[in-house]
Amino acid sequence: MEYSNLHEVLRSLYDEMMPLSADMAAVAKGLAGLGALFYVALKVWQALSSAEPIDMFPLLRPFALGICITFFPTIVLGTLNGVLSPVVQGTHSILESQVLDLNALQQQKDLLEREAMLRNPETAYLASDEEFDKKLDELGWTPSDLVTMSSMYAERQIYSLKKMFRDGFREFIEVLFQAAALVIDTIRTFFLIVLSILGPIAFAISVWDGFQSTLTQWLTRYISVYLWLPVSDLFSAMLSKIQSLILQKDIDSLSDPNFIPDSSSTVYIIFMIIGIIGYFTIPTVTGWIIQAGGAGNFVRNINQTSTKTGNIVGAGTSTIARTIGGKLMNK
């Protein structure tokens, strides 16, 4: 199963479990009704004891919350999702456009890189079986030719091992990158499901005098968690744009017939590591958009975990990164 299908499974899970919030409406109605009774009685008693006229407008608040609880999936969740979904669709369209450009550039680079290696007589036999067989046919059976033949087999084997190791490590980093995105999306879906199912209870508690802030906290946390996905798409689109610029620079270099590629993907791996660490900062960035409390320990823990992961993975690539950095500075 592809990673995109896993994200779709999480979307379907949320849609299927969202109606369960209606099951909490019965319990929430009783709790809200009891709270409304005490709330109205207290406000009326305060007005009568102070010989003041009764202000009817604040007394309408429990009844408005009762209507929201009764039709919670439609009025509350439907309204919030309807307002926020265009933001998700807009950021996702930005991500899709960047990913399409990145895939096209990657295919073009792979083609030009192979052509560049075939142009170079010293590397052509490493990238092509036909060139390797052709070069073997040109050799004879003299001792010097046998030595050359053995050297060619050894160089081809070393090239294959390096390529296999490089591709394997690249796939491992890509798995970690996709896993980080999936972790954020899974936690986001879990938070949204909990907030949706227990939302009527939060609305009912906010009816009670002294707990009015519960309603505000629920709304801010729901919106904040919902925006994790748009922020994640924008971050992925930014990484795709950076990789597109790098690929475009490589394509321009490969277009030069005299350019010899080094077939290294270290820069790509470095940005994958940056992406892994960056995904775990999404809750913090979302908190800058709308202030929501209650997830401080969670954000701190995932940031510490992402930092440790980045240190472990980065230690394995630091030497390669310095080498590539030196080559880029020399160009």
Side-chain angles (χ1 to χ4, degrees):
M1 181 179 293
E2 296 181 356
Y3 291 101
S4 58
N5 294 334
L6 294 176
H7 289 286
E8 291 298 329
V9 169
L10 293 175
R11 308 291 183 275
S12 301
L13 176 65
Y14 172 76
D15 293 336
E16 292 180 3
M17 297 193 69
M18 188 174 63
L20 296 178
S21 60
D23 298 338
M24 288 292 173
V27 179
K29 286 178 185 177
L31 185 61
L34 187 61
L37 178 63
F38 282 97
Y39 179 82
V40 173
L42 179 62
K43 294 297 182 182
V44 172
W45 179 79
Q46 286 178 344
L48 293 178
S49 62
S50 302
E52 297 177 352
I54 300 175
D55 189 1
M56 296 298 298
F57 185 76
L59 300 182
L60 297 177
R61 183 175 185 274
F63 298 98
L65 291 175
I67 294 175
C68 292
I69 293 172
T70 303
F71 304 100
F72 189 81
T74 303
I75 294 180
V76 179
L77 295 180
T79 302
L80 288 175
N81 295 341
V83 172
L84 296 174
S85 59
V87 180
V88 176
Q89 295 174 1
T91 55
H92 189 67
S93 63
I94 295 175
L95 174 61
E96 286 183 340
S97 63
Q98 295 298 326
V99 171
L100 290 176
D101 295 340
L102 180 63
N103 292 335
L105 290 174
Q106 185 64 52
Q107 294 176 0
Q108 185 179 358
K109 180 196 171 183
D110 293 340
L111 180 61
L112 292 175
E113 188 175 15
R114 179 176 174 81
E115 292 177 353
M117 292 191 68
L118 292 176
R119 285 197 305 265
N120 184 11
E122 297 180 358
T123 59
Y125 71 95
L126 297 177
S128 174
D129 294 335
E130 296 178 357
E131 293 294 332
F132 182 75
D133 295 336
K134 181 179 179 181
K135 197 165 185 178
L136 288 179
D137 294 338
E138 295 176 355
L139 298 175
W141 295 99
T142 63
S144 60
D145 291 336
L146 292 177
V147 172
T148 304
M149 190 180 302
S150 301
S151 177
M152 288 176 55
Y153 276 106
E155 290 179 0
R156 186 177 173 85
Q157 187 67 25
I158 293 173
Y159 174 80
S160 300
L161 290 175
K162 287 183 178 180
K163 187 175 184 302
M164 182 177 63
F165 177 78
R166 185 174 60 248
D167 294 342
F169 187 74
R170 178 176 174 175
E171 291 178 1
F172 173 71
I173 294 297
E174 288 178 348
V175 169
L176 289 181
F177 180 81
Q178 297 292 343
L182 194 60
V183 166
I184 291 297
D185 199 6
T186 302
I187 296 175
R188 170 185 177 271
T189 303
F190 169 70
F191 283 179
L192 288 179
I193 290 174
V194 172
L195 289 171
S196 299
I197 294 178
L198 298 181
I201 302 297
F203 274 62
I205 293 176
S206 66
V207 174
W208 292 76
D209 193 20
F211 294 92
Q212 288 87 349
S213 61
T214 304
L215 176 61
T216 305
Q217 288 296 320
W218 185 92
L219 288 173
T220 54
R221 289 170 183 169
Y222 186 90
I223 296 173
S224 177
V225 173
Y226 198 97
L227 290 177
W228 284 13
L229 184 59
V231 174
S232 175
D233 288 342
L234 288 177
F235 180 71
S236 300
M238 183 195 70
L239 288 178
S240 299
K241 185 62 177 179
I242 293 174
Q243 293 175 11
S244 298
L245 294 175
I246 295 174
L247 288 174
Q248 187 63 54
K249 184 177 180 180
D250 291 340
I251 290 173
D252 294 339
S253 300
L254 290 170
S255 300
D256 184 4
N258 298 322
F259 178 74
I260 306 293
D262 57 2
S263 67
S264 177
S265 58
T266 307
V267 177
Y268 175 83
I269 293 175
I270 290 174
F271 277 104
M272 285 287 109
I273 297 174
I274 294 173
I276 293 171
I277 299 175
Y279 266 120
F280 292 103
T281 64
I282 288 174
T284 302
V285 176
T286 309
W288 297 346
I289 301 173
I290 178 170
Q291 187 65 35
N297 292 331
F298 165 75
V299 173
R300 183 165 53 253
N301 290 334
I302 61 176
N303 284 339
Q304 291 176 355
T305 302
S306 63
T307 302
K308 293 178 181 178
T309 303
N311 292 336
I312 293 173
V313 178
T317 58
S318 59
T319 303
I320 304 175
R322 286 194 297 268
T323 303
I324 297 302
K327 291 182 179 179
L328 293 175
M329 293 295 294
N330 294 329
K331 289 182 181 181

